[in-house]
Amino acid sequence: MSSPTNSPGPAPAGTMSEQEYAANLRRATLSSSVGSALEYFDFAMYGLMTALVFDRLFFSTSNPAMATVAAFGVYGVGFVARPFGGLFFGTIGDRIGRRWVLVTTIILMGGASTLIGALPTYEQVGILAPILLVLMRLAQGFGAGAEQAGATVLMAEYAPVKKRGFFSALPFVGIQAGTLLASVVFFLLTLMPEDAFLSWGWRLPFLGSFVLILVALFIRAKLQETPSFVQLEKSEQVAERPVREIFTRGRAGVVIGAGLRMAENGGSYMFQSIALAFVTSAAIGMDRGAVTWGVTFGSLIGIFSVPLTGKISDRVGRVPVYRFGAVFMLLFAFPAWYLLSLGNELIAVGVIAIGLGIAVNTMLGPQCAMLPEMFGNRHRYLGVAMAREISAVLAGGLAGVLGAALLAWTDGNWIVLAIYMATLAAITTASTFLVPETRGRDLMRIEDAVRISTTEQDTATSALPEPAAEIVQDAAQAPGRAGGSLTPALDPERPHRRR
């Protein structure tokens, strides 16, 4: 067995200088952030439009309540497409690499969003209008199904081990920036005369997303492949059938990962969309422009709370921070929806801001590193994508459809909405007791964290052919390595380079 100092590292690790590593880390952060901003700008804008105007633009207004349900149904269609996109692009990402998948998904997702801004309305073409909207939502969701998973995996595999929680959370500031931008743009649009807004004003933010596509493509074209995937190629361990692996070895991680996201994902869309539809309904009658400030302030809080909770998870662990956020939402659900029912705009803005900025984002911060750490290197992209997107259908997509239906069936009863949110939070709280602590886990490992026992090193390396197993075992025994990590020649401040 070779000595630790002579063990080869991943291909880029041995040749990448400090300056090159820093440049690639910055580029990965910026690339992931812009993609996240575009995705959540589109989805937040679509959610705001769905809650407040799309029912009038793309559906018959003869029955306003059912038009709202139909609008949220199309909103949910995008979530239905996401697991299929995650499955398709996640498989490619685990077979040929993360970089080019991220280029493809940004084109597909952003292109569909831009085309939404050019669609005819129900008044212009009748039933063809919602059909075209469904097609665009399917394309948008198909691309988004792997976009956020790819950004998550990309940053986790580039980030320094001891600071992985913090660095992995930075691109998710793009989520807050995208949501913030969407709410501010929507508020400005509401200042337009209503006829102009319904005629052409609503199209502007969708058409404008084309600019973000160009920026993201420019950055991603220069991005290098992640060190973890390069190491897979070097050791000839790239999965030939990642789908088979994820449904045989990775099922537990996908199920638990989806459970972890129920409160974060479902809660996010409930506060961004259902809460707005609830407080602007005829029963309560708040001004739509005023209450969108809750989303704005929630996003502002998230710009700080997401990286902060990611950093805290580097110190105390992912699970305790995540569990705190889930329990907070569980306790907040009933007071939140009761306060929203009071009809006070200032209170409503505060409730939505706290729900998004603290309850949701306290889970999002540690999640950015936690999900990639839960899966082995051979099927990490696909595992993260499936966990994220299955939960997106069950929590995010269903939240819109079920929430709108509950509003219609119960004449705006806040209790049923509180029960629904509390149920999502309870599922996530329970899931935090099923996942082991993943902080500092070596991302070169090929086995999932959920399946690992105290014999983790032996079971993980036994599946590796020589010389790969020898490299991993040598690195694990080398002095000065961080936290028992098995990354070859691991430097605590640089995850994958030779010392």
mmCIF file of all heavy atoms in Angstrom, residues 246-287:
data_model
loop_
_atom_site.group_PDB
_atom_site.id
_atom_site.type_symbol
_atom_site.label_atom_id
_atom_site.label_comp_id
_atom_site.label_asym_id
_atom_site.label_seq_id
_atom_site.Cartn_x
_atom_site.Cartn_y
_atom_site.Cartn_z
ATOM 1 N N ILE A 246 -30.122 4.132 -7.503
ATOM 2 C CA ILE A 246 -30.903 4.980 -6.604
ATOM 3 C C ILE A 246 -32.157 4.267 -6.131
ATOM 4 O O ILE A 246 -32.631 4.489 -5.011
ATOM 5 C CB ILE A 246 -31.250 6.328 -7.280
ATOM 6 C CG1 ILE A 246 -31.487 7.413 -6.209
ATOM 7 C CG2 ILE A 246 -32.473 6.226 -8.163
ATOM 8 C CD1 ILE A 246 -30.298 7.773 -5.405
ATOM 9 N N PHE A 247 -32.706 3.372 -6.957
ATOM 10 C CA PHE A 247 -33.917 2.668 -6.547
ATOM 11 C C PHE A 247 -33.631 1.358 -5.831
ATOM 12 O O PHE A 247 -34.552 0.703 -5.340
ATOM 13 C CB PHE A 247 -34.815 2.412 -7.764
ATOM 14 C CG PHE A 247 -35.542 3.641 -8.233
ATOM 15 C CD1 PHE A 247 -35.179 4.275 -9.414
ATOM 16 C CD2 PHE A 247 -36.573 4.180 -7.478
ATOM 17 C CE1 PHE A 247 -35.838 5.424 -9.834
ATOM 18 C CE2 PHE A 247 -37.235 5.322 -7.897
ATOM 19 C CZ PHE A 247 -36.873 5.941 -9.071
ATOM 20 N N THR A 248 -32.372 0.970 -5.767
ATOM 21 C CA THR A 248 -32.018 -0.223 -4.993
ATOM 22 C C THR A 248 -31.256 0.146 -3.726
ATOM 23 O O THR A 248 -31.656 -0.225 -2.630
ATOM 24 C CB THR A 248 -31.183 -1.187 -5.850
ATOM 25 O OG1 THR A 248 -30.043 -0.497 -6.389
ATOM 26 C CG2 THR A 248 -32.015 -1.767 -6.983
ATOM 27 N N ARG A 249 -30.177 0.925 -3.875
ATOM 28 C CA ARG A 249 -29.362 1.291 -2.717
ATOM 29 C C ARG A 249 -29.736 2.640 -2.105
ATOM 30 O O ARG A 249 -29.447 2.873 -0.928
ATOM 31 C CB ARG A 249 -27.886 1.339 -3.125
ATOM 32 C CG ARG A 249 -27.364 0.055 -3.735
ATOM 33 C CD ARG A 249 -25.920 0.237 -4.181
ATOM 34 N NE ARG A 249 -25.422 -0.937 -4.878
ATOM 35 C CZ ARG A 249 -24.216 -1.027 -5.437
ATOM 36 N NH1 ARG A 249 -23.394 0.008 -5.358
ATOM 37 N NH2 ARG A 249 -23.843 -2.123 -6.050
ATOM 38 N N GLY A 250 -30.334 3.506 -2.894
ATOM 39 C CA GLY A 250 -30.550 4.870 -2.419
ATOM 40 C C GLY A 250 -31.970 5.213 -2.036
ATOM 41 O O GLY A 250 -32.285 6.376 -1.783
ATOM 42 N N ARG A 251 -32.854 4.221 -1.986
ATOM 43 C CA ARG A 251 -34.268 4.502 -1.684
ATOM 44 C C ARG A 251 -34.451 5.202 -0.355
ATOM 45 O O ARG A 251 -35.226 6.149 -0.227
ATOM 46 C CB ARG A 251 -35.083 3.203 -1.676
ATOM 47 C CG ARG A 251 -35.575 2.736 -3.014
ATOM 48 C CD ARG A 251 -36.706 1.738 -2.851
ATOM 49 N NE ARG A 251 -36.397 0.715 -1.868
ATOM 50 C CZ ARG A 251 -35.830 -0.460 -2.144
ATOM 51 N NH1 ARG A 251 -35.486 -0.725 -3.390
ATOM 52 N NH2 ARG A 251 -35.593 -1.338 -1.199
ATOM 53 N N ALA A 252 -33.760 4.712 0.657
ATOM 54 C CA ALA A 252 -33.936 5.273 1.996
ATOM 55 C C ALA A 252 -33.576 6.751 2.027
ATOM 56 O O ALA A 252 -34.283 7.576 2.624
ATOM 57 C CB ALA A 252 -33.080 4.501 3.006
ATOM 58 N N GLY A 253 -32.467 7.115 1.363
ATOM 59 C CA GLY A 253 -32.055 8.506 1.336
ATOM 60 C C GLY A 253 -33.058 9.390 0.615
ATOM 61 O O GLY A 253 -33.329 10.516 1.038
ATOM 62 N N VAL A 254 -33.627 8.887 -0.478
ATOM 63 C CA VAL A 254 -34.613 9.662 -1.236
ATOM 64 C C VAL A 254 -35.861 9.903 -0.392
ATOM 65 O O VAL A 254 -36.386 11.018 -0.327
ATOM 66 C CB VAL A 254 -34.975 8.939 -2.547
ATOM 67 C CG1 VAL A 254 -36.168 9.619 -3.218
ATOM 68 C CG2 VAL A 254 -33.782 8.924 -3.493
ATOM 69 N N VAL A 255 -36.346 8.841 0.273
ATOM 70 C CA VAL A 255 -37.569 8.969 1.079
ATOM 71 C C VAL A 255 -37.356 9.932 2.242
ATOM 72 O O VAL A 255 -38.171 10.830 2.494
ATOM 73 C CB VAL A 255 -38.020 7.588 1.582
ATOM 74 C CG1 VAL A 255 -39.168 7.738 2.579
ATOM 75 C CG2 VAL A 255 -38.455 6.711 0.414
ATOM 76 N N ILE A 256 -36.240 9.767 2.953
ATOM 77 C CA ILE A 256 -35.977 10.645 4.099
ATOM 78 C C ILE A 256 -35.704 12.069 3.625
ATOM 79 O O ILE A 256 -36.159 13.045 4.233
ATOM 80 C CB ILE A 256 -34.802 10.104 4.929
ATOM 81 C CG1 ILE A 256 -35.192 8.774 5.586
ATOM 82 C CG2 ILE A 256 -34.388 11.111 6.000
ATOM 83 C CD1 ILE A 256 -34.069 8.086 6.324
ATOM 84 N N GLY A 257 -34.959 12.205 2.520
ATOM 85 C CA GLY A 257 -34.701 13.532 1.978
ATOM 86 C C GLY A 257 -35.987 14.247 1.585
ATOM 87 O O GLY A 257 -36.152 15.454 1.828
ATOM 88 N N ALA A 258 -36.922 13.515 0.978
ATOM 89 C CA ALA A 258 -38.215 14.111 0.633
ATOM 90 C C ALA A 258 -38.970 14.519 1.891
ATOM 91 O O ALA A 258 -39.593 15.589 1.936
ATOM 92 C CB ALA A 258 -39.041 13.121 -0.188
ATOM 93 N N GLY A 259 -38.903 13.692 2.916
ATOM 94 C CA GLY A 259 -39.562 14.034 4.170
ATOM 95 C C GLY A 259 -38.975 15.279 4.811
ATOM 96 O O GLY A 259 -39.700 16.116 5.357
ATOM 97 N N LEU A 260 -37.661 15.425 4.709
ATOM 98 C CA LEU A 260 -37.010 16.612 5.260
ATOM 99 C C LEU A 260 -37.482 17.894 4.570
ATOM 100 O O LEU A 260 -37.512 18.961 5.178
ATOM 101 C CB LEU A 260 -35.491 16.494 5.122
ATOM 102 C CG LEU A 260 -34.796 15.474 6.025
ATOM 103 C CD1 LEU A 260 -33.351 15.284 5.590
ATOM 104 C CD2 LEU A 260 -34.857 15.916 7.485
ATOM 105 N N ARG A 261 -37.844 17.789 3.309
ATOM 106 C CA ARG A 261 -38.214 18.986 2.544
ATOM 107 C C ARG A 261 -39.702 19.315 2.591
ATOM 108 O O ARG A 261 -40.120 20.345 2.040
ATOM 109 C CB ARG A 261 -37.797 18.812 1.080
ATOM 110 C CG ARG A 261 -36.298 18.787 0.876
ATOM 111 C CD ARG A 261 -35.967 19.133 -0.552
ATOM 112 N NE ARG A 261 -36.188 20.544 -0.822
ATOM 113 C CZ ARG A 261 -36.895 21.004 -1.858
ATOM 114 N NH1 ARG A 261 -37.477 20.180 -2.686
ATOM 115 N NH2 ARG A 261 -37.027 22.295 -2.038
ATOM 116 N N MET A 262 -40.519 18.497 3.194
ATOM 117 C CA MET A 262 -41.961 18.745 3.171
ATOM 118 C C MET A 262 -42.313 20.093 3.787
ATOM 119 O O MET A 262 -43.086 20.873 3.230
ATOM 120 C CB MET A 262 -42.703 17.613 3.884
ATOM 121 C CG MET A 262 -42.596 16.268 3.201
ATOM 122 S SD MET A 262 -43.313 16.224 1.549
ATOM 123 C CE MET A 262 -45.045 16.089 1.956
ATOM 124 N N ALA A 263 -41.758 20.386 4.950
ATOM 125 C CA ALA A 263 -42.071 21.654 5.617
ATOM 126 C C ALA A 263 -41.391 22.821 4.920
ATOM 127 O O ALA A 263 -42.001 23.882 4.735
ATOM 128 C CB ALA A 263 -41.659 21.594 7.084
ATOM 129 N N GLU A 264 -40.136 22.641 4.531
ATOM 130 C CA GLU A 264 -39.395 23.744 3.897
ATOM 131 C C GLU A 264 -40.021 24.110 2.561
ATOM 132 O O GLU A 264 -40.309 25.282 2.293
ATOM 133 C CB GLU A 264 -37.928 23.326 3.722
ATOM 134 C CG GLU A 264 -37.077 24.338 2.984
ATOM 135 C CD GLU A 264 -36.983 24.052 1.499
ATOM 136 O OE1 GLU A 264 -36.864 22.877 1.109
ATOM 137 O OE2 GLU A 264 -37.056 25.032 0.709
ATOM 138 N N ASN A 265 -40.262 23.127 1.709
ATOM 139 C CA ASN A 265 -40.792 23.400 0.377
ATOM 140 C C ASN A 265 -42.266 23.773 0.425
ATOM 141 O O ASN A 265 -42.684 24.783 -0.150
ATOM 142 C CB ASN A 265 -40.567 22.178 -0.517
ATOM 143 C CG ASN A 265 -40.881 22.464 -1.968
ATOM 144 O OD1 ASN A 265 -41.933 22.087 -2.459
ATOM 145 N ND2 ASN A 265 -39.976 23.128 -2.662
ATOM 146 N N GLY A 266 -43.065 22.961 1.107
ATOM 147 C CA GLY A 266 -44.491 23.253 1.203
ATOM 148 C C GLY A 266 -44.762 24.554 1.935
ATOM 149 O O GLY A 266 -45.604 25.355 1.513
ATOM 150 N N GLY A 267 -44.045 24.784 3.029
ATOM 151 C CA GLY A 267 -44.225 26.024 3.775
ATOM 152 C C GLY A 267 -43.873 27.244 2.949
ATOM 153 O O GLY A 267 -44.546 28.277 3.012
ATOM 154 N N SER A 268 -42.811 27.125 2.157
ATOM 155 C CA SER A 268 -42.389 28.247 1.315
ATOM 156 C C SER A 268 -43.491 28.653 0.353
ATOM 157 O O SER A 268 -43.843 29.835 0.238
ATOM 158 C CB SER A 268 -41.124 27.859 0.536
ATOM 159 O OG SER A 268 -40.763 28.883 -0.370
ATOM 160 N N TYR A 269 -44.049 27.688 -0.351
ATOM 161 C CA TYR A 269 -45.076 28.029 -1.336
ATOM 162 C C TYR A 269 -46.403 28.405 -0.682
ATOM 163 O O TYR A 269 -47.175 29.177 -1.258
ATOM 164 C CB TYR A 269 -45.244 26.873 -2.319
ATOM 165 C CG TYR A 269 -44.081 26.793 -3.277
ATOM 166 C CD1 TYR A 269 -43.111 25.807 -3.148
ATOM 167 C CD2 TYR A 269 -43.932 27.740 -4.291
ATOM 168 C CE1 TYR A 269 -42.019 25.765 -4.006
ATOM 169 C CE2 TYR A 269 -42.852 27.703 -5.150
ATOM 170 C CZ TYR A 269 -41.900 26.713 -5.008
ATOM 171 O OH TYR A 269 -40.823 26.684 -5.861
ATOM 172 N N MET A 270 -46.677 27.895 0.500
ATOM 173 C CA MET A 270 -47.892 28.320 1.191
ATOM 174 C C MET A 270 -47.805 29.792 1.600
ATOM 175 O O MET A 270 -48.762 30.548 1.450
ATOM 176 C CB MET A 270 -48.145 27.442 2.419
ATOM 177 C CG MET A 270 -48.636 26.044 2.090
ATOM 178 S SD MET A 270 -49.252 25.148 3.530
ATOM 179 C CE MET A 270 -50.845 25.965 3.781
ATOM 180 N N PHE A 271 -46.646 30.197 2.101
ATOM 181 C CA PHE A 271 -46.496 31.595 2.499
ATOM 182 C C PHE A 271 -46.412 32.526 1.292
ATOM 183 O O PHE A 271 -46.870 33.665 1.341
ATOM 184 C CB PHE A 271 -45.258 31.772 3.387
ATOM 185 C CG PHE A 271 -45.468 31.353 4.812
ATOM 186 C CD1 PHE A 271 -44.695 30.345 5.373
ATOM 187 C CD2 PHE A 271 -46.434 31.955 5.594
ATOM 188 C CE1 PHE A 271 -44.878 29.957 6.695
ATOM 189 C CE2 PHE A 271 -46.634 31.572 6.913
ATOM 190 C CZ PHE A 271 -45.856 30.571 7.461
ATOM 191 N N GLN A 272 -45.817 32.040 0.190
ATOM 192 C CA GLN A 272 -45.645 32.898 -0.978
ATOM 193 C C GLN A 272 -46.907 33.020 -1.818
ATOM 194 O O GLN A 272 -47.135 34.062 -2.434
ATOM 195 C CB GLN A 272 -44.522 32.356 -1.869
ATOM 196 C CG GLN A 272 -43.129 32.562 -1.311
ATOM 197 C CD GLN A 272 -42.067 32.101 -2.293
ATOM 198 O OE1 GLN A 272 -42.096 32.436 -3.472
ATOM 199 N NE2 GLN A 272 -41.119 31.327 -1.815
ATOM 200 N N SER A 273 -47.719 31.958 -1.874
ATOM 201 C CA SER A 273 -48.856 31.953 -2.788
ATOM 202 C C SER A 273 -50.198 31.837 -2.076
ATOM 203 O O SER A 273 -51.064 32.700 -2.225
ATOM 204 C CB SER A 273 -48.703 30.814 -3.800
ATOM 205 O OG SER A 273 -47.533 30.977 -4.571
ATOM 206 N N ILE A 274 -50.377 30.768 -1.300
ATOM 207 C CA ILE A 274 -51.665 30.532 -0.667
ATOM 208 C C ILE A 274 -52.008 31.632 0.332
ATOM 209 O O ILE A 274 -53.155 32.090 0.403
ATOM 210 C CB ILE A 274 -51.694 29.156 0.026
ATOM 211 C CG1 ILE A 274 -51.476 28.054 -1.004
ATOM 212 C CG2 ILE A 274 -53.025 28.940 0.742
ATOM 213 C CD1 ILE A 274 -52.496 28.047 -2.105
ATOM 214 N N ALA A 275 -51.025 32.073 1.089
ATOM 215 C CA ALA A 275 -51.285 33.138 2.059
ATOM 216 C C ALA A 275 -51.746 34.413 1.349
ATOM 217 O O ALA A 275 -52.656 35.109 1.825
ATOM 218 C CB ALA A 275 -50.037 33.419 2.890
ATOM 219 N N LEU A 276 -51.147 34.722 0.189
ATOM 220 C CA LEU A 276 -51.551 35.904 -0.555
ATOM 221 C C LEU A 276 -52.962 35.756 -1.111
ATOM 222 O O LEU A 276 -53.762 36.696 -1.077
ATOM 223 C CB LEU A 276 -50.562 36.180 -1.691
ATOM 224 C CG LEU A 276 -49.133 36.526 -1.278
ATOM 225 C CD1 LEU A 276 -48.291 36.847 -2.509
ATOM 226 C CD2 LEU A 276 -49.098 37.702 -0.315
ATOM 227 N N ALA A 277 -53.260 34.569 -1.646
ATOM 228 C CA ALA A 277 -54.615 34.333 -2.145
ATOM 229 C C ALA A 277 -55.632 34.406 -1.011
ATOM 230 O O ALA A 277 -56.748 34.908 -1.184
ATOM 231 C CB ALA A 277 -54.683 32.969 -2.829
ATOM 232 N N PHE A 278 -55.241 33.927 0.166
ATOM 233 C CA PHE A 278 -56.131 33.913 1.329
ATOM 234 C C PHE A 278 -56.454 35.330 1.805
ATOM 235 O O PHE A 278 -57.620 35.702 1.978
ATOM 236 C CB PHE A 278 -55.460 33.105 2.448
ATOM 237 C CG PHE A 278 -56.206 33.111 3.758
ATOM 238 C CD1 PHE A 278 -57.452 32.510 3.857
ATOM 239 C CD2 PHE A 278 -55.661 33.704 4.882
ATOM 240 C CE1 PHE A 278 -58.147 32.510 5.065
ATOM 241 C CE2 PHE A 278 -56.335 33.712 6.088
ATOM 242 C CZ PHE A 278 -57.591 33.099 6.183
ATOM 243 N N VAL A 279 -55.419 36.150 1.977
ATOM 244 C CA VAL A 279 -55.658 37.481 2.559
ATOM 245 C C VAL A 279 -56.236 38.474 1.554
ATOM 246 O O VAL A 279 -56.788 39.501 1.953
ATOM 247 C CB VAL A 279 -54.359 38.054 3.175
ATOM 248 C CG1 VAL A 279 -53.857 37.162 4.294
ATOM 249 C CG2 VAL A 279 -53.287 38.261 2.117
ATOM 250 N N THR A 280 -56.123 38.194 0.240
ATOM 251 C CA THR A 280 -56.710 39.090 -0.754
ATOM 252 C C THR A 280 -58.055 38.583 -1.261
ATOM 253 O O THR A 280 -58.626 39.178 -2.185
ATOM 254 C CB THR A 280 -55.751 39.270 -1.951
ATOM 255 O OG1 THR A 280 -55.473 37.983 -2.543
ATOM 256 C CG2 THR A 280 -54.457 39.929 -1.524
ATOM 257 N N SER A 281 -58.544 37.484 -0.684
ATOM 258 C CA SER A 281 -59.843 36.959 -1.079
ATOM 259 C C SER A 281 -60.948 37.926 -0.660
ATOM 260 O O SER A 281 -60.743 38.837 0.153
ATOM 261 C CB SER A 281 -60.077 35.586 -0.451
ATOM 262 O OG SER A 281 -60.131 35.697 0.962
ATOM 263 N N ALA A 282 -62.151 37.705 -1.204
ATOM 264 C CA ALA A 282 -63.278 38.584 -0.892
ATOM 265 C C ALA A 282 -63.611 38.576 0.588
ATOM 266 O O ALA A 282 -64.073 39.570 1.145
ATOM 267 C CB ALA A 282 -64.492 38.160 -1.715
ATOM 268 N N ALA A 283 -63.348 37.440 1.261
ATOM 269 C CA ALA A 283 -63.691 37.324 2.679
ATOM 270 C C ALA A 283 -62.845 38.243 3.551
ATOM 271 O O ALA A 283 -63.310 38.724 4.591
ATOM 272 C CB ALA A 283 -63.528 35.873 3.133
ATOM 273 N N ILE A 284 -61.593 38.494 3.144
ATOM 274 C CA ILE A 284 -60.694 39.323 3.962
ATOM 275 C C ILE A 284 -60.427 40.664 3.279
ATOM 276 O O ILE A 284 -60.458 41.710 3.901
ATOM 277 C CB ILE A 284 -59.382 38.573 4.248
ATOM 278 C CG1 ILE A 284 -59.690 37.291 5.049
ATOM 279 C CG2 ILE A 284 -58.404 39.457 5.017
ATOM 280 C CD1 ILE A 284 -58.495 36.444 5.359
ATOM 281 N N GLY A 285 -60.121 40.635 1.982
ATOM 282 C CA GLY A 285 -60.083 41.845 1.197
ATOM 283 C C GLY A 285 -58.890 42.761 1.385
ATOM 284 O O GLY A 285 -59.009 43.981 1.242
ATOM 285 N N MET A 286 -57.709 42.222 1.668
ATOM 286 C CA MET A 286 -56.524 43.077 1.770
ATOM 287 C C MET A 286 -56.038 43.499 0.384
ATOM 288 O O MET A 286 -56.337 42.860 -0.625
ATOM 289 C CB MET A 286 -55.395 42.333 2.493
ATOM 290 C CG MET A 286 -55.654 42.068 3.956
ATOM 291 S SD MET A 286 -54.151 41.429 4.754
ATOM 292 C CE MET A 286 -54.865 40.670 6.216
ATOM 293 N N ASP A 287 -55.264 44.574 0.358
ATOM 294 C CA ASP A 287 -54.682 45.059 -0.882
ATOM 295 C C ASP A 287 -53.550 44.140 -1.322
ATOM 296 O O ASP A 287 -52.636 43.844 -0.555
ATOM 297 C CB ASP A 287 -54.148 46.479 -0.691
ATOM 298 C CG ASP A 287 -53.476 47.008 -1.950
ATOM 299 O OD1 ASP A 287 -54.188 47.233 -2.937
ATOM 300 O OD2 ASP A 287 -52.241 47.183 -1.919
#
